Amino acid sequence: ASLQSPSLFNKVAWFTIIQTFFVSTLSGSVTSELQKISENPSYAVELMAKALPSQASYFIQVILVQNFLGLGTELLRVSPVAQAVIRHYAAKMTGYDLTEKEMNTTIMGLRVFSDPLEYYFGSKLGGETILIFMVLFVYGTMSPITCYFTLLVFFILAMGFRNQFIYIYPIANDSGGTLFTCFIKTIIVCMIIAQVILIGVVGLKQSPIATALLIPLLISTFLFQWYLNKRHYAVTRCLPLEDC
């Protein structure tokens, strides 16, 4: 499952970015807005620049509810406990006298509580974590209070999942750094999207000097991405992780 994490991460991350920041901000008919964007691609920046600044509180609520609710169910182990209870009573109802080996074996997809599944980093990083970074990059300047909420979310998630990784989840083979590379590439794309939106917001406020001063930031991000592609990603494709 760990080898599938980079591919799963890419799919979930792009779905989160498109669905959250492009579809959910469309006002009126989605079809009409998409038609306008297809006729004039620059309209997408204008649309995001108009719609996103007023939705800071909405995205703060989304990341708080999504992550705290998910962490709560994770710490309580709701799904594994339910599987273990169903498995226990199903064995009693069928009248089977399970041996000790059978009691510790997965039967019909129902796992015992002492045998947890491997943690799927791809879906978690691609969904909740990318959304947090996207909200931070977009609203870090437009609504600075967002930074404090994202810091709170990261702090609580770090404490909760550190406990889970130490005491609950088994140590599984990793992807050899492939997942980290995919994560960094996606983070840089999120930075570029956030900077383009910020330039659009400042441009709508008819502030040519501020808009011009933001363009070097966007160019620097593109140059940094080019540097990583030439310097680091090429090395990681050819050398083992220990040598990199």
Side-chain angles (χ1 to χ4, degrees), residues 195 214-224:
Q195 290 167 9
L214 287 172
I215 294 178
L217 176 62
L218 183 62
I219 296 175
S220 301
T221 306
F222 276 109
L223 291 176
F224 180 67

Side-chain angles (χ1 to χ4, degrees), residues 59-190:
F59 285 112
I60 290 175
Q61 295 173 20
V62 168
I63 62 174
L64 289 177
V65 173
Q66 186 181 57
N67 288 278
F68 289 166
L69 183 61
L71 181 61
T73 56
E74 173 66 35
L75 293 175
L76 293 174
R77 308 291 293 156
V78 176
S79 178
V81 169
Q83 287 190 36
V85 171
I86 294 173
R87 187 178 183 278
H88 174 73
Y89 283 103
K92 277 190 173 183
M93 292 174 62
T94 53
Y96 286 106
D97 187 11
L98 300 180
T99 63
E100 183 177 355
K101 181 179 180 180
E102 291 174 336
M103 291 177 62
N104 296 321
T105 305
T106 301
I107 300 176
M108 299 178 63
L110 298 175
R111 306 179 71 89
V112 294
F113 190 66
S114 60
D115 183 27
L117 278 171
E118 175 187 351
Y119 185 77
Y120 290 99
F121 289 93
S123 60
K124 181 68 177 180
L125 289 176
E128 290 88 343
T129 309
I130 285 295
L131 178 59
I132 297 174
F133 274 102
M134 193 68 191
V135 171
L136 176 62
F137 292 152
V138 172
Y139 291 103
T141 54
M142 291 188 291
S143 180
I145 194 174
T146 308
C147 301
Y148 297 103
F149 284 102
T150 53
L151 176 63
L152 174 65
V153 170
F154 277 125
F155 178 72
I156 296 178
L157 289 179
M159 290 193 301
F161 280 101
R162 184 178 288 112
N163 174 82
Q164 300 301 93
F165 294 146
I166 294 175
Y167 298 107
I168 303 297
Y169 288 106
I171 300 175
N173 295 326
D174 58 29
S175 59
T178 307
L179 182 59
F180 177 78
T181 303
C182 295
F183 181 76
I184 295 300
K185 289 181 179 179
T186 308
I187 286 296
I188 294 178
V189 173
C190 292

